[in-house]
Amino acid sequence: MTARAPANLRDVGTMVVVGGGRTRVGALLRSDAPYDGDDLSILDAVPVRTVIDLRSEYEAVRRPYRWSPTVTVHRHSLYDAGDLSSLSPAMTLTELYRDMLTASRSRIALLPKLLGHGNATLIHCTAGKDRTGMAIGALLLLVGVDPTDVVRDYRATEDNMPAVLERAHDAEVIPSTLMRPEWVQAPDVAIDVLIDEVTRWPGGVRAWFLDHGASPDDLDSTIAWLTTREN
């Protein structure tokens, strides 16, 4: 019998940074939610010391994962409607992302403060696509990853969604009656909602973070930790 494990877990290291360098391997990972009973031995080589859980309190309490005492877990709900229960079935994915961004700008801007500087950080929600996609996308833009590569990383989730939904169904965390086919896709137009606002902000990406509550020191330490310069 194959051990259970998150279906949308990946390291965002090795991505090219504009101006030179790459994102650091073993610094920032993204995933769907781990559940008790999962085998996370894949993380032993990193290892993760900070987890940022973007789910609502309701979601996190329903299906928790009991991390080791050596791991610092930040419950940082990014979007209270993320469990889908309060969303209109008529809402398009693009509309969902616009609503999510409006509701979570200051929460996204606080992410650099929560990262485990010097230690690997795992960011996850339930599926690892929408809230996680927006959080990871913003951080990648902050450190200088080209928007086309941010889109490429976001789109990579779509291939994992059948397995993610199977896990979520077994865990009874995503009501199948609420799911629209569009909501399990990862089209460019969805993540472009974030990319367009952040990159076109007066003063650029850094100014967007600062204007929504981030501190300069947190931004500087985040960029230093998440990137490595090539010789």
Side-chain angles (χ1 to χ4, degrees), residues 56 59 78-101 103 129-131 173-180 182-184:
S56 67
E59 294 171 277
L78 202 69
Y79 185 59
D80 287 341
D83 62 359
L84 305 181
S85 60
S86 63
L87 298 180
S88 166
M91 181 180 281
T92 68
L93 193 62
T94 303
E95 290 170 338
L96 171 62
Y97 274 52
R98 288 195 182 111
D99 190 63
M100 180 164 46
L101 182 58
K129 180 174 78 75
D130 303 316
R131 291 165 289 185
V173 295
I174 298 181
S176 58
T177 55
L178 295 177
M179 292 302 298
R180 295 182 57 203
E182 181 189 11
W183 288 359
V184 302

Side-chain angles (χ1 to χ4, degrees), residues 9-44:
L9 172 63
R10 62 185 180 275
D11 193 320
V12 297
T14 76
M15 299 178 73
V16 174
V17 173
V18 175
R22 292 181 181 271
T23 52
R24 188 184 304 274
V25 175
L28 182 61
L29 298 90
R30 59 179 296 168
S31 182
D32 52 322
Y35 305 124
D36 275 349
D38 280 353
D39 177 7
L40 294 190
S41 59
I42 190 174
L43 297 177
D44 290 347

Side-chain angles (χ1 to χ4, degrees), residues 40-176:
L40 294 190
S41 59
I42 190 174
L43 297 177
D44 290 347
V46 179
V48 167
R49 288 290 178 264
T50 301
V51 172
I52 303 176
D53 184 347
L54 303 178
R55 296 176 296 173
S56 67
E57 186 66 21
Y58 171 76
E59 294 171 277
V61 169
R62 280 189 72 195
R63 287 306 303 261
Y65 178 83
R66 291 169 179 81
W67 292 94
S68 161
T70 62
V71 177
T72 298
V73 179
H74 298 286
R75 304 292 184 191
H76 191 66
S77 176
L78 202 69
Y79 185 59
D80 287 341
D83 62 359
L84 305 181
S85 60
S86 63
L87 298 180
S88 166
M91 181 180 281
T92 68
L93 193 62
T94 303
E95 290 170 338
L96 171 62
Y97 274 52
R98 288 195 182 111
D99 190 63
M100 180 164 46
L101 182 58
T102 298
S104 64
R105 290 184 179 101
S106 62
R107 306 287 287 175
I108 294 171
L110 283 176
L111 289 171
K113 184 179 183 65
L114 302 180
L115 291 176
H117 303 284
N119 294 299
T121 297
L122 172 68
I123 296 180
H124 78 83
C125 52
T126 295
K129 180 174 78 75
D130 303 316
R131 291 165 289 185
T132 299
M134 192 162 283
I136 293 291
L139 291 171
L140 292 177
L141 291 169
L142 172 66
V143 302
V145 173
D146 189 273
T148 58
D149 291 327
V150 174
V151 170
R152 187 177 297 111
D153 175 68
Y154 170 75
R155 282 202 311 253
T157 288
E158 189 164 318
D159 290 340
N160 298 329
M161 284 305 293
V164 168
L165 291 177
E166 182 178 352
R167 279 172 51 80
H169 174 75
D170 291 345
E172 300 179 342
V173 295
I174 298 181
S176 58

